[in-house]
Amino acid sequence: MPLVSRQDIDRVLRSTQTIALVGASPNSTRPSYRVMRFLLAQGYRVYPVNPGLCGQQLQGQTVFARLADIPEPIDMVDVFRQPRYLRAVVDEAAAIGAKTLWTQLGVIDEAAALAAEEAGMEVVMDRCPAIELPKMEPS
């Protein structure tokens, strides 16, 4: 089952340094844009992933078409895609050895979560790191 305890979520957020943000948008009114801005401000290295924007700059970061194109290991894959696309994202995340699959609010697919866990990833589903980070307990 996906991680739900406060301690587990805090541990994941503390251990994460690199985040691939799948479904990144250049539209400043979209949640993915605002969350990316927040995560960058928190000191995470964030790699936007969106095939339609590949090679462009988004908030000062180069956009990649696929997870496999990112030039460094990824700790967390943060997904802003509809649930029907989640299984394909899980397969890509497993192929690059991502440690955590994080799905945003409303992105729920239990079968994809199970596949991610079977591939060795921790899973946080239906949550937002921009909401969870301010709730972190002091270390």
Side-chain angles (χ1 to χ4, degrees):
M1 288 302 294
L3 297 178
V4 292
S5 81
R6 175 82 261 148
Q7 294 79 17
D8 286 336
I9 290 171
D10 288 1
R11 179 181 44 75
V12 165
L13 291 169
R14 282 191 180 95
S15 67
T16 294
Q17 295 179 354
T18 56
I19 299 172
L21 199 140
V22 176
S25 173
N27 182 339
S28 64
T29 65
R30 303 282 303 188
S32 64
Y33 185 95
R34 294 190 308 269
V35 169
M36 181 177 169
R37 182 179 58 219
F38 179 82
L39 293 171
L40 287 166
Q42 297 301 307
Y44 292 102
R45 289 191 308 282
V46 182
Y47 294 92
V49 178
N50 183 325
L53 303 173
C54 182
Q56 297 180 34
Q57 292 291 304
L58 184 56
Q59 299 188 49
Q61 310 302 309
T62 300
V63 181
F64 294 90
R66 306 174 305 131
L67 293 177
D69 298 335
I70 298 172
E72 75 171 304
I74 294 298
D75 296 322
M76 176 195 295
V77 176
D78 186 8
V79 184
F80 282 89
R81 297 286 321 269
Q82 294 178 17
R84 69 176 181 255
Y85 300 112
L86 192 53
R87 182 55 201 252
V89 174
V90 167
D91 293 343
E92 277 194 63
I96 65 163
K99 296 174 185 169
T100 303
L101 176 76
W102 187 298
T103 72
Q104 286 293 320
L105 299 172
V107 182
I108 302 167
D109 180 334
E110 293 294 337
L114 181 60
E117 289 173 338
E118 289 173 351
M121 285 179 265
E122 294 193 275
V123 177
V124 179
M125 187 168 280
D126 191 29
R127 294 186 183 246
C128 178
I131 294 171
E132 299 301 327
L133 275 162
K135 296 180 185 177
M136 283 179 57
E137 295 176 0
S139 53

